Amino acid sequence: MDEPTELLARTIGTRVKNERHARTLTLDQLAEKAGVSRRMLVNVEQGAANPSVGTLLRLSEALGVSLPALVEPPTAQKATVTRSCAGATLWTGENGGRGILLASSNIPEALELWEWTFMPGESQSSEPHSAGTQELLHLLEGEITITVAAETFVLGPGDSMAFAGDQEHAYENTSSKPARFILSVLEPGIGASSRADHSHA
C-alpha cells in the first residue's frame, strides 16, 4: 500500500474498532452482522487491509453509521473543504480507474459526493444499499453503461440520471475511452441522528 492508502486503512480501522466498542459488539458479532469474515474484520481494524467499497458499506450498515463516518475525520465545523486530490480513494480499478469520496455530510442524513473514473473495460457492481437510498449521476466525459435491477442505460457526456440505490446496480465502461462522472448518494436514516439511536440498540 502507498502512504495515502495506508493512512486511510489505519483511519478506517480505528473508526470501525471504536464504533464496534461503542456498541459492545465482539469481533464475531460484528463480522456476522456485516456478513464479512472474522479474518477480514481483524485485518480492517488493524489497518492491514484496504477494504472494498462493498465491505465498507456492509460494515457501516451493520454499525448504523454512514460510510463517510468511517473514512473521514469528524468535524464540528459548519463547512468542510476537501482540496483537489485530497479525497478518499475507496475504489481502484484494474486499469487505473478510481472512485473518490470528495465530500460528505452526516446531518441529519448521509449525503455523499463522489468522483468516479472508469477506464476502458472496467466495471463495478454494487449490492443494494439501505432502504430509500437515492443516487444522482452526471457524466462529464466518455460513455458509461449503468444497470439498475434488470434495466440497462447508456449515458454519454452531459447526460444525467437518478435512480434508487436500494436495488442491485452496476457501472461498466465498454467503450475505448475513459468515462468520468460525478455521483451523489443520499442514504436516509444513516446520519448523525440515527447513529445516536443505534448506539442504544
Side-chain angles (χ1 to χ4, degrees), residues 101-121:
L101 181 60
L102 299 174
S104 62
S105 169
N106 287 314
I107 302 172
E109 297 176 322
L111 178 61
E112 303 162 10
L113 183 65
W114 294 76
E115 179 183 355
W116 287 84
T117 302
F118 281 81
M119 302 304 283

Side-chain angles (χ1 to χ4, degrees), residues 141-165:
E141 60 184 73
E143 182 181 285
I144 198 82
T145 301
I146 301 173
T147 304
V148 182
E151 285 190 275
T152 298
F153 307 86
V154 179
L155 274 59
D159 289 346
S160 300
M161 180 177 173
F163 62 93

Side-chain angles (χ1 to χ4, degrees), residues 1 5-18 20 27 30 34 36-60 63 70-71:
M1 287 191 283
T5 306
E6 223 174 281
L7 178 61
L8 180 60
R10 284 201 304 270
T11 301
I12 291 169
T14 301
R15 297 268 159 66
V16 170
K17 186 185 285 187
N18 289 346
R20 178 172 65 79
L27 282 163
L30 178 56
V36 301
S37 71
R38 186 182 193 278
R39 183 176 201 164
M40 168 58 81
L41 182 55
V42 169
N43 286 340
V44 168
E45 289 198 357
Q46 290 178 345
N50 186 15
S52 68
V53 176
T55 298
L56 287 174
L57 284 168
R58 285 195 289 273
L59 287 171
S60 69
L63 290 166
L70 294 184
V71 302

